[in-house]
Amino acid sequence: MLFLAVKNLVQEKTRLLISVGGVAFSVLLIMSIQGLYQGWSNKIGEYIRTVPADYWITQTGATDMFHTPSVLPLTVRDFLTGVEGVASAKPFCGRRVAFAHNGKDINLYVIADDTENNVGAPARVVEGKAVPDKGEIIIDRVVGRSENIRIGDTIPVAGRTLKVSGYSEGGYILSFSFAFATKEDAESILQLPGATNFFLVTVKDGTNANDVASRIEADPAVDAITKDRFVENNTNIVRDTFLPIILVLLLIGIAVGMTVIGLTIFTSTIEKAREYGVLKAIGVSNRQLYTVVVEQAITAAVLGYLLGAGLALAVSAAAGTYVPEFITEIRWLDAAWIFGVTLAMAVVSSLLPARRLARIDPAEVFRA
């Protein structure tokens, strides 16, 4: 039966092209939107996940880096290092800063790259210097490409002129991105003499982390937030704002894709009603007829999926080249469920016309 199904498909090459093309377009649409959703979801908290800390210590009531301000005197470090079970407590200093470039406002979250305490370095530098010198700044590559800021250019940041010395990755969060300056430059930009925004606390091995957090929070001026919770607090801000829009687009894409797959399979099957009638006339059973139709639909779906998946990878790569903000991540898991949805729709779409074909009277076919 599979041989017959394939023969039916290739007999009408134009019809096969339309069927496979319709499936491929649907797969391209679904896979591209899912890749965009997954890419943005993962990139949002990428930098914060790389910061080495068991607990983020914040000013009481501050829950994240962006919406609730946190300013702590540096003397808090003496208290933290004296808490039983604390291995280290390092200051982490950073704040959002906006500046104008080529008539456009650009938002950076400037972080102090504190080489003395080994805190505040970029997640990874992909071009230029790995550590900024005085008067220099490292920006995210997405911002550099999208805003045409090259290494060696100078940008005004909070009244200072800094030279871009490198590009980093993993610090782009849609509406702004992380940037890294020396501790001295950052303190000048952020204007926090004798203070910092957070402390990064690590707990000694073998110590109960919850007990350490309780001892820290005995000081009513600070909160101790686990690393996972702090990442979640920060990513939720962006995720709740932007990703629901992408999710709606994904659902629309799935609906459109399912409709296109259904229509192309249904149409290609109905158009071959006469040929199926001939098969019935020569003794092919309805069960065998169902098998041929389903195998034909699955063959078209597999070809369309392979073509669509290849196009999705190519389109994602090309779009990312020309539009840096188009950050996608196509995972094997997503490719698998999209393949499953494609096959399921092909089978469902083939059953309806197959039932209709099963009721064909061979005599009517020959009379027509």
Side-chain angles (χ1 to χ4, degrees):
M1 291 295 110
L2 180 60
F3 173 76
L4 181 59
V6 173
K7 188 176 180 180
N8 272 347
L9 277 174
V10 298
Q11 191 176 28
E12 294 285 345
K13 292 185 173 55
T14 303
R15 193 176 297 156
L16 172 63
L17 185 62
I18 293 173
S19 299
V20 172
V23 176
F25 171 76
S26 305
V27 171
L28 168 64
L29 182 64
I30 296 172
M31 196 168 284
S32 296
I33 298 177
Q34 172 63 21
L36 190 63
Y37 179 85
Q38 197 61 45
W40 281 9
S41 296
N42 289 340
K43 291 293 180 183
I44 287 173
E46 185 175 356
Y47 174 71
I48 305 174
R49 291 189 191 96
T50 66
V51 176
D54 294 320
Y55 283 94
W56 285 72
I57 308 303
T58 70
Q59 182 181 347
T60 301
T63 58
D64 57 73
M65 300 173 71
F66 311 117
H67 283 177
T68 49
S70 173
V71 179
L72 297 170
L74 291 174
T75 53
V76 171
R77 186 175 190 177
D78 297 332
F79 160 70
L80 293 172
T81 53
V83 172
E84 181 184 352
V86 171
S88 67
K90 300 178 180 179
F92 183 96
C93 188
R95 182 168 61 85
R96 291 180 69 166
V97 177
F99 70 97
H101 178 72
N102 292 335
K104 186 176 180 181
D105 289 337
I106 299 175
N107 290 292
L108 299 179
Y109 192 99
V110 178
I111 293 175
D113 189 347
D114 184 354
T115 54
E116 181 181 348
N117 288 299
N118 195 26
V119 170
R124 58 183 178 277
V125 174
V126 293
E127 189 175 347
K129 298 173 66 173
V131 180
D133 287 326
K134 185 175 175 57
E136 295 179 340
I137 189 168
I138 296 174
I139 63 174
D140 194 272
R141 182 162 66 174
V142 172
V143 175
R145 290 172 55 194
S146 62
E147 305 302 334
N148 195 27
I149 302 175
R150 298 183 176 86
I151 293 177
D153 289 352
T154 57
I155 57 175
V157 181
R160 294 176 57 84
T161 300
L162 299 179
K163 178 182 176 182
V164 177
S165 62
Y167 289 154
S168 62
E169 276 189 347
Y172 179 70
I173 310 183
L174 302 183
S175 60
F176 61 92
S177 66
F178 291 110
F180 306 87
T182 64
K183 181 182 176 184
E184 292 75 16
D185 285 333
E187 288 177 345
S188 173
I189 293 170
L190 306 178
Q191 297 183 352
L192 285 173
T196 189
N197 297 108
F198 308 97
F199 282 96
L200 307 178
V201 163
T202 55
V203 176
K204 291 179 180 177
D205 293 339
T207 304
N208 187 302
N210 292 330
D211 292 343
V212 175
S214 297
R215 287 193 281 270
I216 291 173
E217 290 187 330
D219 182 344
V222 299
D223 283 336
I225 304 175
T226 63
K227 180 178 179 177
D228 290 343
R229 170 59 65 182
F230 196 72
V231 170
E232 187 176 347
N233 290 346
N234 285 279
T235 55
N236 282 346
I237 294 171
V238 182
R239 181 178 286 119
D240 293 346
T241 304
F242 294 98
L243 293 190
I245 299 172
I246 301 298
L247 183 60
V248 170
L249 292 177
L250 176 62
L251 294 176
I252 293 174
I254 292 174
V256 171
M258 293 170 70
T259 303
V260 171
I261 292 173
L263 285 175
T264 53
I265 299 297
F266 180 87
T267 304
S268 63
T269 305
I270 288 298
E271 285 181 348
K272 298 185 76 64
R274 182 180 177 82
E275 288 85 343
Y276 289 116
V278 173
L279 288 176
K280 289 194 68 175
I282 62 176
V284 172
S285 66
N286 283 340
R287 182 176 180 181
Q288 290 174 313
L289 201 60
Y290 270 90
T291 302
V292 172
V293 173
V294 171
E295 287 178 346
Q296 184 176 319
I298 289 177
T299 303
V302 171
L303 292 175
Y305 173 83
L306 294 175
L307 178 61
L311 288 173
L313 293 173
V315 167
S316 296
T321 301
Y322 294 103
V323 183
E325 297 90 343
F326 194 86
I327 300 171
T328 60
E329 181 179 343
I330 299 176
R331 305 178 304 171
W332 285 108
L333 176 63
D334 297 325
W337 75 253
I338 293 172
F339 181 63
V341 167
T342 304
L343 290 183
M345 276 308 303
V347 172
V348 171
S349 303
S350 65
L351 292 180
L352 186 60
R355 288 184 60 189
R356 185 171 168 180
L357 295 176
R359 293 195 294 268
I360 289 178
D361 184 352
E364 292 182 2
V365 172
F366 285 108
R367 278 199 297 270

